[in-house]
Amino acid sequence: WLVVSWALVVGLVLADAPLRPGVAEQLRTSPRFLLETLLGLGAGALAMAAALRLGIPSPRNWLGHAGPAWALLFVWVGAYLYGLSSPSLEPSMLGKREGCYLQVLFFGLPPLVLGLVMMRRLASFDRWASGALVGAAAGAIPGLLMQAGCMYVPEHILTHHIAPIGALAVVGAIAGSIALRRP
């Protein structure tokens, strides 16, 4: 799921526009920006892993599977909330993409569908939570890529790159409640 989803979303993002000029140098020279990026990468991967674990019977409860994923997602958001008062990079309009929030939403849909299709093969005991985690993981991919492809302004990141991840988590929860029903 991770490899296919990343390849698809990277292709879609790059087909629309190149990454922000200088983003590789920013990752190299700004430890906090690199940390934000790694938090997003880890949060998305952990969310999908947790969703898959919820589809396998085990003695661990919901919190044991999903709790660490949600915690890391909230730490990722917290890094941008902290950035409101102390940004990792100098806020800049460089790389601004029109409709980036729509790109996060629409580019996250194929990984969401793919994740739910994978989850149907499992015995998901919490369809809502599994779907929400798949949605968050699916949204984290384009949301994270927008961090490298769109302008760096913490307010903009929270409203246009991170908020759509929450919307995809809600869509995932609703879709999971329907698609992950046991026959």
Side-chain angles (χ1 to χ4, degrees):
W1 178 86
L2 197 63
V3 171
V4 170
S5 296
W6 266 95
L8 176 65
V9 176
V10 165
L12 290 170
V13 167
L14 293 177
D16 178 65
L19 296 181
R20 181 175 64 244
V23 73
E25 180 68 13
Q26 291 171 334
L27 284 166
R28 191 180 68 71
T29 60
S30 174
R32 274 194 37 222
F33 180 58
L34 177 61
L35 177 62
E36 290 169 356
T37 303
L38 293 175
L39 284 171
L41 187 61
L46 192 58
M48 189 59 192
L52 291 170
R53 278 191 224 111
L54 284 175
I56 301 169
S58 80
R60 290 182 81 180
N61 62 10
W62 178 89
L63 188 59
H65 287 304
W70 288 118
L72 191 54
L73 285 162
F74 287 121
V75 168
W76 185 32
V77 172
Y80 292 112
L81 290 172
Y82 178 71
L84 292 172
S85 64
S86 176
S88 299
L89 301 172
E90 184 66 33
S92 166
M93 298 289 283
L94 185 65
K96 182 176 179 1
R97 291 174 180 244
E98 294 300 321
C100 57
Y101 64 95
L102 292 173
Q103 289 181 2
V104 174
L105 287 171
F106 291 127
F107 295 170
L109 288 176
L112 173 60
V113 170
L114 178 61
L116 289 175
V117 167
M118 286 177 55
M119 292 293 299
R120 285 193 49 81
R121 297 177 156 251
L122 302 173
S124 185
F125 293 100
D126 191 334
R127 299 183 322 244
W128 288 89
S130 295
L133 285 163
V134 171
I141 297 170
L144 183 61
L145 284 169
M146 285 302 141
Q147 179 174 314
C150 191
M151 62 190 215
Y152 189 91
V153 175
E155 296 90 349
H156 175 83
I157 291 169
L158 286 165
T159 59
H160 288 69
H161 304 167
I162 301 291
I165 297 170
L168 282 167
V170 170
V171 169
I174 293 167
S177 73
I178 296 165
L180 302 178
R181 285 189 186 138
R182 289 190 214 140

